[in-house]
Amino acid sequence: MALLSAPFQWKGLALKNRVVMPPMCQYSVEAKDGKPNDWHFVHYVSRAVGGAGLIIMEMTDVEPDGRISDYDLGLWSDEHIPAFARIVSEVHKYGAKIGVQIAHAGRKAEDAEVPVAPSPIAFSDKYKTPRALTTEEVQALVVKFREAARRAVEAGMDTIEIHGAHGYLIHQFHSPLTNKRDDRYGRDLALFGVEVIEAVKSVMPEDMPLIMRISAVEYVEGGYGLEYSTELCRRYKEAGVDIFHISSGGEGPIGSGGRPGIHPGYQVPMARTIKQALDVPVIAVGNLDDPLLAEATLGNGDADLVAVGRGMLRDPYWALHAIRTVSGEVVPPKQYGRAF
C-alpha cells in the first residue's frame, strides 16, 4: 500500500489516509460575525468528498479583535457552534475527519482599532503599533482559548490545532524579537503557549489529540532557528501537544535574516528534525503538491502526515488524484466512480 493512502491513528483520531488539508484563511465571512457560511460549507465538504483524510479549518479566532480581518472565522461565542457543527456533520459523511485551528492575530490584527501584543512593537510600517497586554489580560486570553476549544468540542471536532506560527499572538510571545516584557510572560517566553495548551487540553476529551502549528525558523535578522524551536516544541510537548504541524516564517518582513526556500519540500527537513528530536508525530507542509514528493516525505520517515494547501485550493480532489498516481488504486465516492 502507498503510504499516502495508509491509515493513521493517534489516540482517538483515526484517519483513512495521510493527506491533510491545512488551515487556509478564506476571508469570506461577509456578515463579519465570525460564523462560517455557505462558502465555508461547500469549501470544506468538497475536500472531504475529494478524499482528504484530515481537514483543519482555517484560523478561527478567540475574540473579535483577534481576527486578521473582520472577514475571518471566530469561536468567541456559543452562537458560533451550530454553523461549525453543520460543517463537521457533513464532512463526516464522506469519511474525513475535521479539526479547527484556534488563534489570535495579536499585532497582525489588521481591522482592530488598537491591536494587542506582548510588547508595543509593530510588525512593519504598514501595520498599526499594538499596545502591550497587561498580565491580567494575558491570563484572560488563556481563558478565551479554553472557551474556544470547548466550543470546538461541542461542535463535534475530531481534533484541535493551536496556532503558534506565522507571527500571530502565541508566536509573538515565544519569539525573543517581539516579547520584551518584564513580567513572568517575558521571563519565560514559552509560558503563554504552555498555559494555552494546558487550558485547551482541560476541555478536550482525553483521547482527542492536540495539534500545534509552529514556525520552526524565522526569516528576519536576529530571528530564532531550528535549535530554538525544537526546544520550544519540547516544552509544548510536555504541556500536552500530541502532534506538531511544522511551518516557518511570519514574524517579520521576509529577507533581513535570509530568504526561505520556495522549492518543493523546502520545510520537510524542519519537520524531520523535530520529529526525530522529540519522537513525536509531525505534519509536514510546504510545496508538497507533487504526489511523488508527498509519498517520499512519508516513505523516508520525514513526517507522519503531509499537508497540501495550495494544491487543494486548485484541486478539491487532490487526495484522490494523488493516491491514484502513487498506487494506481483509489476508492472515489460512488457518484464519481465512472470517472476513475
Side-chain angles (χ1 to χ4, degrees):
M1 176 184 288
L3 286 172
L4 269 183
S5 58
F8 172 84
Q9 180 157 358
W10 199 257
K11 290 190 171 181
L13 180 67
L15 306 179
K16 64 181 180 181
N17 61 46
R18 306 294 180 105
V19 179
V20 178
M21 178 185 181
M24 292 175 286
C25 288
Q26 298 296 290
Y27 304 110
S28 295
V29 184
E30 300 296 336
K32 300 185 180 182
D33 58 2
K35 297 177 183 177
N37 54 33
D38 286 348
W39 171 265
H40 301 92
F41 182 86
V42 172
H43 175 64
Y44 291 111
V45 174
S46 65
R47 274 66 185 180
V49 173
L54 174 63
I55 294 165
I56 306 177
M57 290 185 68
E58 65 203 79
M59 180 172 169
T60 297
D61 299 289
V62 303
E63 66 176 7
D65 280 349
R67 292 173 289 179
I68 302 170
S69 84
D70 289 347
Y71 294 93
D72 290 344
L73 294 179
L75 265 173
W76 61 78
S77 167
D78 287 358
E79 294 180 0
H80 293 102
I81 295 173
F84 282 92
R86 174 178 176 241
I87 293 172
V88 171
S89 176
E90 196 68 17
V91 162
H92 283 163
K93 291 179 182 178
Y94 302 100
K97 298 299 174 67
I98 185 169
V100 63
Q101 183 189 73
I102 56 174
H104 191 294
R107 68 177 186 165
K108 295 177 82 173
E110 297 174 14
D111 289 340
E113 184 175 351
V114 181
V116 297
S119 303
I121 305 169
F123 179 77
S124 73
D125 292 341
K126 297 180 180 179
Y127 283 75
K128 300 171 185 175
T129 298
R131 69 170 181 83
L133 290 155
T134 67
T135 302
E136 292 73 23
E137 287 174 327
V138 177
Q139 294 167 338
L141 276 169
V142 172
V143 175
K144 291 180 179 181
F145 271 91
R146 183 194 70 198
E147 289 301 287
R150 173 186 62 79
R151 295 179 186 111
V153 171
E154 290 186 20
M157 296 291 175
D158 301 296
T159 185
I160 292 170
E161 178 172 286
I162 295 172
H163 201 346
H166 301 163
Y168 299 117
L169 189 63
I170 293 175
H171 186 169
Q172 292 163 29
F173 268 91
H174 67 225
S175 173
L177 289 173
T178 48
N179 187 342
K180 306 296 183 181
R181 302 174 68 88
D182 57 11
D183 66 356
R184 61 191 179 118
Y185 294 103
R187 292 189 292 271
D188 179 356
L189 301 190
L191 181 60
F192 178 60
V194 166
E195 290 186 351
V196 167
I197 291 163
E198 292 173 344
V200 167
K201 291 284 281 192
S202 74
V203 296
M204 292 172 61
E206 188 173 346
D207 67 342
M208 180 185 287
L210 176 63
I211 304 171
M212 189 170 194
R213 199 168 205 188
I214 288 290
S215 285
V217 174
E218 294 181 318
Y219 301 112
V220 293
E221 185 176 356
Y224 66 69
L226 193 51
E227 183 176 351
Y228 180 90
S229 62
T230 300
E231 292 310 306
L232 190 64
C233 287
R234 193 183 305 279
R235 286 284 307 279
Y236 290 159
K237 179 186 176 184
E238 291 169 355
V241 173
D242 297 287
I243 301 169
F244 286 98
H245 191 170
I246 308 302
S247 187
S248 61
E251 194 42 57
I254 290 174
S256 62
R259 297 194 65 82
I262 56 172
H263 54 276
Y266 73 98
Q267 293 177 143
V268 169
M270 305 173 197
R272 178 177 62 244
T273 295
I274 291 173
K275 173 180 171 62
Q276 293 177 346
L278 303 184
D279 190 25
V280 64
V282 299
I283 304 170
V285 67
N287 287 355
L288 298 177
D289 299 2
D290 184 330
L292 297 179
L293 175 58
E295 177 73 10
T297 299
L298 298 170
N300 292 333
D302 296 329
D304 302 89
L305 300 163
V306 289
V308 178
R310 290 174 176 82
M312 283 200 191
L313 290 182
R314 289 190 295 270
D315 178 6
Y317 309 102
W318 186 92
L320 291 175
H321 295 150
I323 289 170
R324 183 172 64 172
T325 296
V326 299
S327 71
E329 298 180 4
V330 67
V331 182
K334 63 181 181 180
Q335 297 90 338
Y336 294 167
R338 75 190 73 177
F340 288 84

